[in-house]
Amino acid sequence: MKKVKNLFHINYVCASKLFFTKGDFSMFDFDFDDIFTPILLDWDKKNYRFNRGEKDMHPYSISSDEEKTIIVHNVLGINKEDLKVTKEKENGTTYIAIEGKTKDSLTKREYSVSSRFALNEEELDLSNIKSSMRNGLLYIIIPTKKPEKPTKDTIEIL
């Protein structure tokens, strides 16, 4: 059996320091004993670039125009079928609530989200809320109420 040395000289990195130890690698046709003594992975922070406004500590963004308000919420790691968006009323305030939990089959890690937003019932059309999900982001689109046209009625003088 051929021995491979220094197979994992890794420059990529994880969020925390991670040590590999010997394990069952019988599926490979070389000996890992010399490789795992242990290998340290470290995150190269200065080379990290990620451009997304919705991060873990501020997982949403809100944008509005004359026609609609859009909530974009980070739901990375949560399957669409495990996610639930509801409209609920509590103490006279209407909320949009986002709930979900998924257990990753590969890492066995559980990802979850629980978040809610108070809605302005006077300005938003709460009967036509729509949502969609793609690329780890949940989009909730809430139409703006159309302003009532001013009316002018003549009142009879008695």
Side-chain angles (χ1 to χ4, degrees), residues 73-121:
H73 203 292
N74 180 356
V75 291
L76 190 63
I78 300 170
N79 294 329
K80 182 179 177 181
E81 13 339 297
D82 297 332
L83 196 60
K84 184 168 69 170
V85 179
T86 57
K87 182 175 66 171
E88 52 193 46
K89 196 157 193 137
E90 182 181 306
N91 298 323
T93 302
T94 302
Y95 295 93
I96 284 286
I98 303 165
E99 299 284 336
K101 184 180 353 179
T102 298
K103 187 171 185 175
D104 183 74
S105 60
L106 186 60
T107 64
K108 307 298 184 223
R109 180 172 181 207
E110 188 174 90
Y111 295 90
S112 64
V113 65
S114 179
S115 193
R116 73 181 194 171
F117 299 86
L119 303 175
N120 182 336
E121 295 181 56

Side-chain angles (χ1 to χ4, degrees), residues 1 23-32:
M1 185 179 297
D24 179 20
F25 297 100
S26 56
M27 66 181 121
F28 299 101
D29 64 344
F30 51 89
D31 192 353
F32 274 83

Side-chain angles (χ1 to χ4, degrees), residues 5-146:
K5 294 191 182 211
N6 297 324
L7 179 67
F8 289 103
H9 179 319
I10 299 177
N11 291 329
Y12 182 74
V13 295
C14 280
S16 62
K17 296 181 192 276
L18 174 65
F19 288 93
F20 284 102
T21 56
K22 295 178 185 178
D24 179 20
F25 297 100
S26 56
M27 66 181 121
F28 299 101
D29 64 344
F30 51 89
D31 192 353
F32 274 83
D33 288 350
D34 290 340
I35 296 170
F36 293 107
T37 2
I39 294 174
L40 173 67
L41 299 179
D42 196 11
W43 187 40
D44 188 4
K45 189 175 186 177
K46 65 184 174 200
N47 286 316
Y48 177 72
R49 303 285 183 275
F50 194 79
N51 184 17
R52 184 178 72 205
E54 300 77 27
K55 298 177 176 57
D56 290 335
M57 294 309 291
H58 187 76
Y60 67 91
S61 63
I62 299 174
S63 61
S64 294
D65 61 26
E66 293 175 4
E67 298 177 7
K68 64 192 168 304
T69 295
I70 301 173
I71 301 169
V72 181
H73 203 292
N74 180 356
V75 291
L76 190 63
I78 300 170
N79 294 329
K80 182 179 177 181
E81 13 339 297
D82 297 332
L83 196 60
K84 184 168 69 170
V85 179
T86 57
K87 182 175 66 171
E88 52 193 46
K89 196 157 193 137
E90 182 181 306
N91 298 323
T93 302
T94 302
Y95 295 93
I96 284 286
I98 303 165
E99 299 284 336
K101 184 180 353 179
T102 298
K103 187 171 185 175
D104 183 74
S105 60
L106 186 60
T107 64
K108 307 298 184 223
R109 180 172 181 207
E110 188 174 90
Y111 295 90
S112 64
V113 65
S114 179
S115 193
R116 73 181 194 171
F117 299 86
L119 303 175
N120 182 336
E121 295 181 56
E122 293 176 15
E123 295 185 25
L124 299 172
D125 181 1
L126 303 185
S127 63
N128 290 305
I129 299 173
K130 295 186 179 4
S131 66
S132 65
M133 184 176 152
R134 66 179 180 268
N135 299 326
L137 297 173
L138 174 67
Y139 298 86
I140 301 172
I141 299 125
I142 310 166
T144 304
K145 281 185 180 177
K146 307 286 186 230

